[in-house]
């Protein structure tokens, strides 16, 4: 692949965005269209397209309940595979809010507006925005987050997930080669999502030290949002 001259990738980015979305009945009904778009645009090499076609085939033939349960377990049960990009950068810190606002404003300048339930750092939303940009700008935009994409790719590879092919494709569209990087182990889900006991923070959880930041635990919802509405 020639990384100096970015290929047309608009349709491919939209296909990858859809593949990372919650595998609803509507999405699975359009899997043949996604396969056709990938083959037609040819923004990716044949080996990567073959991996993506295998993922599409798996989504099509696996029972709906199994596909949906596997998706939730994979993407909503740990930080290392989260599709919310700022979770990898800011976690639950106060910096996440301003970063969300800045990214949403970037979308609005391009004439794209989020639905009330959509978060701007959700990767399928990010890719929908990138698909509206010229190839060179889209590649540069992806390159800014390629270290996060590599980390998610590696975490998915460690779990033996076919979804790793989607992240690998994104890394390649950003102009780099997908490769394994060190993945920080997720803390047990019961620990990371545990709701603190009432008033428990008043002694041992930091309240005894006024002025310190207190942890905030966010419970994710599914199905995840899909896409950006123009």
């Amino acid at each position: 692949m020639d990384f100096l001259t970015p290929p047309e990738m608009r349709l491919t980015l939209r296909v990858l965005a859809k593949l990372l979305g919650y595998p609803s009945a509507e999405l699975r009904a359009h899997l043949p269209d996604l396969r056709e778009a990938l083959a037609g645009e040819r923004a990716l090499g044949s080996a990567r397209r073959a991996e993506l076609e295998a993922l599409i085939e798996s989504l099509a033939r696996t029972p709906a309940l199994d596909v949906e349960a596997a998706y939730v377990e994979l993407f909503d049960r740990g930080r290392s595979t989260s599709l919310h990009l700022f979770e990898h950068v800011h976690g639950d810190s106060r910096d996440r809010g301003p970063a969300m606002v800045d990214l949403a404003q970037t979308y609005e300048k391009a004439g794209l507006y989020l639905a009330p339930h959509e978060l701007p750092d959700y990767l399928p939303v990010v890719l929908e925005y990138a698909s509206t940009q010229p190839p060179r700008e889209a590649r540069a935009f992806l390159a800014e987050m390629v270290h996060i994409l590599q980390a998610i790719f590696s975490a998915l590879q460690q779990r033996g997930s076919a979804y790793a092919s989607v992240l690998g494709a994104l890394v390649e569209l950003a102009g780099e080669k997908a490769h394994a990087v060190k993945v920080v182990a997720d803390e047990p889900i019961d620990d990371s999502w545990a709701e603190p006991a009432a008033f428990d923070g008043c002694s041992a959880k930091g309240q005894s030290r006024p002025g310190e930041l207190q942890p905030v635990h966010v419970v994710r919802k599914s199905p995840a949002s899909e896409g950006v509405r123009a």
Side-chain angles (χ1 to χ4, degrees), residues 205-217:
K205 297 294 185 180
Q207 287 286 3
S208 58
R209 299 179 183 179
E212 289 193 357
L213 294 177
Q214 302 303 309
V216 176
H217 298 292

Side-chain angles (χ1 to χ4, degrees), residues 33-112:
D33 298 327
L34 301 185
R35 181 188 288 110
E36 183 178 345
L38 278 177
E41 194 166 66
R42 293 185 177 274
L44 297 165
S46 58
R48 185 65 71 187
R49 291 202 312 274
E51 291 180 357
L52 293 170
E53 288 174 2
L55 171 61
I56 290 172
E57 179 62 26
S58 176
L59 292 174
R61 71 169 184 263
T62 305
L65 290 179
D66 293 342
V67 169
E68 293 166 2
Y71 180 92
V72 171
E73 183 65 27
L74 184 64
F75 292 117
D76 291 347
R77 302 295 190 190
R79 182 163 287 172
S80 66
T81 56
S82 173
L83 296 180
H84 291 277
L85 300 185
F86 291 157
E87 184 131 339
H88 299 270
V89 180
H90 302 300
D92 294 330
S93 76
R94 291 182 178 180
D95 293 333
R96 190 171 183 177
M100 291 276 201
V101 172
D102 289 344
L103 188 54
Q105 290 176 343
T106 297
Y107 298 160
E108 290 174 6
K109 289 178 182 177
L112 303 174

Side-chain angles (χ1 to χ4, degrees), residues 24-223:
S24 63
E26 180 181 3
L27 172 62
R28 293 195 300 277
H30 288 94
L31 289 174
D33 298 327
L34 301 185
R35 181 188 288 110
E36 183 178 345
L38 278 177
E41 194 166 66
R42 293 185 177 274
L44 297 165
S46 58
R48 185 65 71 187
R49 291 202 312 274
E51 291 180 357
L52 293 170
E53 288 174 2
L55 171 61
I56 290 172
E57 179 62 26
S58 176
L59 292 174
R61 71 169 184 263
T62 305
L65 290 179
D66 293 342
V67 169
E68 293 166 2
Y71 180 92
V72 171
E73 183 65 27
L74 184 64
F75 292 117
D76 291 347
R77 302 295 190 190
R79 182 163 287 172
S80 66
T81 56
S82 173
L83 296 180
H84 291 277
L85 300 185
F86 291 157
E87 184 131 339
H88 299 270
V89 180
H90 302 300
D92 294 330
S93 76
R94 291 182 178 180
D95 293 333
R96 190 171 183 177
M100 291 276 201
V101 172
D102 289 344
L103 188 54
Q105 290 176 343
T106 297
Y107 298 160
E108 290 174 6
K109 289 178 182 177
L112 303 174
Y113 297 88
L114 297 172
H117 64 285
E118 290 174 328
L119 294 177
D121 69 331
Y122 181 53
L123 185 52
V125 172
V126 173
L127 299 180
E128 289 283 356
Y129 164 75
S131 75
T132 68
Q133 304 303 297
R136 193 172 299 277
E137 284 77 359
R139 170 156 290 173
F141 182 68
L142 292 176
E144 294 178 7
M145 63 191 76
V146 72
H147 60 293
I148 304 175
L149 301 177
Q150 290 276 30
I152 303 173
F153 167 77
S154 300
L156 292 172
Q157 268 201 329
Q158 284 187 4
R159 297 192 183 196
S161 172
Y163 278 101
S165 62
V166 183
L167 275 297
L170 291 174
V171 171
E172 291 169 4
L173 291 177
E176 296 196 17
K177 184 176 180 180
H179 64 273
V181 298
K182 183 178 180 180
V183 178
V184 178
D186 287 326
E187 59 180 314
I189 192 64
D190 290 340
D191 294 340
S192 62
W193 282 25
E195 190 170 322
F199 307 110
D200 193 41
C202 293
S203 56
K205 297 294 185 180
Q207 287 286 3
S208 58
R209 299 179 183 179
E212 289 193 357
L213 294 177
Q214 302 303 309
V216 176
H217 298 292
V218 178
V219 178
R220 302 174 185 84
K221 297 180 180 180
S222 62

